[in-house]
Amino acid sequence: MKQTDHDSRITSKKTIENKKETEEALEAYVQLFPGTGAEVLAPLSELKEWDEDSSIAAVCVKPGSIEELYSLEGVRSVELAVPPVIRKIERGDKESLSSWSFWKQGGISGTGIKIGIISDGVEDISEADRSGALPESVHVLSPGKGTEGTVILEVVHKVSPGAELYFHSAGNNKLEFNRAIDALIAEGCQIICDDVGWPDEPFFEDGIVASHVREVIERQDILYVSAAGNDAGRHYQGMFFDNGSGWHDFSSGTSDSRNIYMDVPQGEKITVVLQWNDPWNCSENDYDLYLCDRCSGEELDASEKVQGGTEKPLEYIQYTNMEDTIKKVNISVKKHCGQDRMLEIYIYGNSSVKIHPDNLVEEDSVFGHPAVQDVICVGAVDSGNLQKSIASYSSRGPVSIYYPEYELRNKIDLSGPGSVRVSGTNGKGSLFAGTSASAPSVAGIGALVWSMCPEKNSSEIREILCFSAEDLGDPGYDTVFGHGSVNSNTAHSLKKLYADSSLSSKTYGVSSAETRGTFSLKNSIPFEQLCSLAKLSSRDR
């Protein structure tokens, strides 16, 4: 029989055991039954955030108190928080060796637009101010920990130097992230851009972050831009395929390589997240996740939570190689009981962790709030390739959503440069790569366009960006590049056409019937026609 102690229902056994040795506090989400207040948690944990609508609390708790916390009256479930993922690429990756200089100065600066950035932190922002990389006027609402936010602010500032910049850290849990969004909106930010992913958000439906982002976009006139993720080369999705003994065959019977394989260097940490397409908090199908030594078959770690109808379809492992050699491991999945379901796995580790390509799947590697319909989800173009191919790491669409009903969402929305050159805090210059570079590039260009067309709303600005993007990949929209690549030529071409008040729809042979339901520019040419002209102008440069 599978064990059903509290630890097995909360997280992997080894994770708690390792934390117990140091008594280091853990971040956790506690789901309470409706009507139960967060005060019941006070004797055993420190409350960090509370969302009354969903009855979810984010807390800090000692490992030795987790079982007792789970046993409190009113507590439905306890889940250890998986740390956020920042969508940058380590500089050791080949595709960060050259940059795409896509911005240029001109008459448009983004003046009058407020842009809010959410990332890990801006611990070095003072140095960036002194070096001239950033203006002294950046509004830091929450500094956080780390330096990624400083670089993203510089990217936005170089693209849109007249925009007013704000920063709020992502925090350590999803409720803090939602609060960061609200804080930036309260400051009047019209554009919000982030490069943050939450691996324990649902893959097959909108979770607490995605739902909040969707609601904010519906209520507020904001343009929300988010990095698609760098997960194309560390993602798997496929229907459970029994190898004959209850274990999943990742190759679906097509190969002798039946698992996912990795080489983990000494001291390196990996996080592996497994989900399947059951409703969140209502999983009746029980799958387990294992990490094993590829040579000896020894089990290195396991996540064996019980799914009996009221639990999440979620298993995850956080493993650190404590040996003095490279550890060759494989990821395995076993169906303990239930029906065959669609499985999805993401793997997180730095660039020194080698993930073998066997059985990986690039498609459908976007999840969470970047997958929300009205979010501008930004992929990365390989800046070192003159043919402008997609960066190998850039996450791809479409996105399969199963609940509350099945839909296939068209993501990616737009693409941007996968590597940009920034001056950095020392002023010497460096490369910044990943969809973390792409998203702020697009956000900055959005500010340029919006400052040029202040009468437009966020939906119209979004459509302008999509209509005027340079088409890449398959003709028209595709789920690799989206509507295409956005760069500053778009804004400058639009400005030139916008300023020419002599242009008229008659001049371009556009009938009144054709202009119905389209954007118009100073009662002149429709924006579809304008953006087509902008594309041509951009390509001629």
Side-chain angles (χ1 to χ4, degrees):
M1 292 293 290
K2 183 177 179 180
Q3 67 179 65
T4 57
D5 58 62
H6 290 315
D7 280 3
S8 74
R9 301 184 68 176
I10 298 168
T11 189
S12 70
K13 300 184 291 295
K14 293 188 187 296
T15 299
I16 290 182
E17 290 168 1
N18 292 338
K19 295 293 185 180
K20 280 181 178 179
E21 292 178 2
T22 61
E23 278 299 301
E24 180 184 345
L26 298 168
E27 291 257 356
Y29 301 110
V30 182
Q31 176 79 59
L32 300 175
F33 286 103
T36 304
E39 62 274 4
V40 302
L41 306 174
L44 297 172
S45 64
E46 178 188 356
L47 182 67
K48 307 298 285 188
E49 298 287 338
W50 168 239
D51 182 42
E52 187 172 3
D53 291 340
S54 62
S55 297
I56 295 177
V59 302
C60 276
V61 57
K62 294 287 187 179
S65 300
I66 288 181
E67 289 191 58
E68 192 176 355
L69 182 67
Y70 186 90
S71 300
L72 288 176
E73 185 176 354
V75 171
R76 177 177 178 177
S77 66
V78 179
E79 291 285 346
L80 295 190
V82 179
V85 173
I86 304 299
R87 313 289 202 177
K88 68 178 178 180
I89 290 292
E90 300 293 333
R91 286 177 172 55
D93 283 54
K94 294 180 180 179
E95 284 171 305
S96 66
L97 295 178
S98 60
S99 64
W100 186 1
S101 297
F102 66 98
W103 56 67
K104 61 182 182 180
Q105 298 300 321
I108 318 166
S109 68
T111 301
I113 304 299
K114 293 183 177 183
I115 304 176
I117 300 300
I118 306 176
S119 189
D120 59 356
V122 289
E123 289 181 321
D124 58 348
I125 195 168
S126 296
E127 291 88 340
D129 290 342
R130 285 193 291 269
S131 71
L134 286 174
E136 296 180 358
S137 58
V138 177
H139 306 276
V140 178
L141 307 184
S142 169
K145 296 181 180 180
T147 59
E148 180 98 352
T150 307
V151 186
I152 292 179
L153 286 166
E154 183 184 343
V155 173
V156 174
H157 179 61
K158 281 188 174 290
V159 179
S160 188
E164 191 172 355
L165 301 180
Y166 291 75
F167 179 82
H168 198 298
S169 68
N172 295 318
N173 64 70
K174 294 177 284 188
L175 299 185
E176 284 186 87
F177 184 83
N178 285 349
R179 181 163 56 83
I181 296 171
D182 295 341
L184 292 171
I185 290 174
E187 293 292 332
C189 291
Q190 298 128 291
I191 299 176
I192 294 178
C193 176
D194 78 77
D195 69 337
V196 181
W198 296 96
D200 53 352
E201 272 279 272
F203 299 160
F204 298 100
E205 61 185 271
D206 289 337
I208 190 170
V209 173
S211 296
H212 185 71
V213 170
R214 185 186 66 247
E215 291 165 4
V216 164
I217 294 173
E218 291 173 352
R219 294 196 314 264
Q220 307 285 341
D221 186 24
I222 67 164
L223 192 70
Y224 200 107
V225 182
S226 188
N230 307 322
D231 301 329
R234 54 191 185 193
H235 168 259
Y236 168 82
Q237 184 170 333
M239 183 64 70
F240 176 77
F241 191 97
D242 199 325
N243 72 349
S245 57
W247 293 89
H248 177 53
D249 180 351
F250 284 87
S251 75
S252 298
T254 63
S255 169
D256 291 334
S257 298
R258 297 182 176 182
N259 294 308
I260 294 176
Y261 308 96
M262 294 180 290
D263 300 337
V264 184
Q266 176 190 9
E268 294 298 339
K269 178 180 178 181
I270 58 170
T271 299
V272 183
V273 183
L274 164 69
Q275 294 185 25
W276 53 97
N277 62 330
D278 278 345
W280 207 243
N281 291 320
C282 296
S283 180
E284 296 181 341
N285 302 292
D286 195 348
Y287 288 87
D288 297 322
L289 177 66
Y290 299 89
L291 193 69
C292 299
D293 186 298
R294 197 156 79 238
C295 300
S296 67
E298 174 193 1
E299 181 184 302
L300 302 174
D301 205 345
S303 182
E304 300 173 313
K305 290 181 289 183
V306 175
Q307 283 83 26
T310 60
E311 289 77 31
K312 296 178 177 64
L314 168 68
E315 302 282 353
Y316 75 89
I317 287 171
Q318 292 177 307
Y319 167 78
T320 302
N321 178 14
M322 304 302 292
E323 299 185 10
D324 57 3
T325 59
I326 293 176
K327 197 73 172 176
K328 296 182 179 295
V329 303
N330 65 265
I331 298 170
S332 303
V333 174
K334 187 172 187 178
K335 182 173 70 173
H336 180 71
C337 63
Q339 298 178 346
D340 294 352
R341 308 302 289 170
M342 181 68 70
L343 308 181
E344 189 161 17
I345 287 177
Y346 287 86
I347 306 162
Y348 298 98
N350 71 25
S351 59
S352 66
V353 176
K354 180 182 178 181
I355 305 173
H356 295 249
D358 311 62
N359 304 320
L360 296 180
V361 177
E362 295 178 339
E363 292 77 19
D364 211 338
S365 52
V366 176
F367 73 94
H369 63 281
V372 170
Q373 198 66 55
D374 291 325
V375 168
I376 297 180
C377 173
V378 184
V381 176
D382 181 358
S383 302
N385 189 317
L386 295 178
Q387 301 302 315
K388 294 185 179 179
S389 61
I390 198 69
S392 63
Y393 55 78
S394 184
S395 291
R396 323 287 164 89
V399 177
S400 301
I401 298 293
Y402 283 79
Y403 305 100
E405 59 185 10
Y406 181 80
E407 60 177 308
L408 197 63
R409 293 180 181 171
N410 278 338
K411 297 289 173 176
I412 307 297
D413 293 294
L414 290 168
S415 302
S419 179
V420 297
R421 190 169 294 279
V422 293
S423 60
T425 57
N426 58 12
K428 295 182 178 179
S430 60
L431 292 172
F432 179 54
T435 54
S436 282
S438 311
S441 304
V442 171
I445 294 165
L448 295 180
V449 175
W450 211 344
S451 68
M452 186 177 63
C453 313
E455 74 280 5
K456 302 298 177 184
N457 62 35
S458 59
S459 296
E460 291 171 319
I461 298 301
R462 186 183 192 279
E463 291 199 39
I464 291 170
L465 292 174
C466 292
F467 274 124
S468 60
E470 179 186 0
D471 190 20
L472 298 175
D474 295 337
Y477 176 84
D478 62 74
T479 57
V480 176
F481 295 94
H483 292 279
S485 174
V486 177
N487 57 57
S488 59
N489 286 331
T490 295
H492 288 273
S493 299
L494 288 171
K495 179 178 183 292
K496 181 179 178 181
L497 293 169
Y498 188 96
D500 191 348
S501 58
S502 65
L503 297 178
S504 68
S505 59
K506 183 176 181 180
T507 302
Y508 284 87
V510 180
S511 68
S512 58
E514 290 175 306
T515 62
R516 289 196 190 106
T518 64
F519 295 120
S520 61
L521 191 59
K522 288 188 174 179
N523 296 318
S524 182
I525 57 176
F527 255 120
E528 287 89 340
Q529 186 75 40
L530 179 70
C531 295
S532 295
L533 291 168
K535 285 183 183 180
L536 293 175
S537 179
S538 174
R539 288 170 182 168
D540 289 341
R541 289 176 181 263

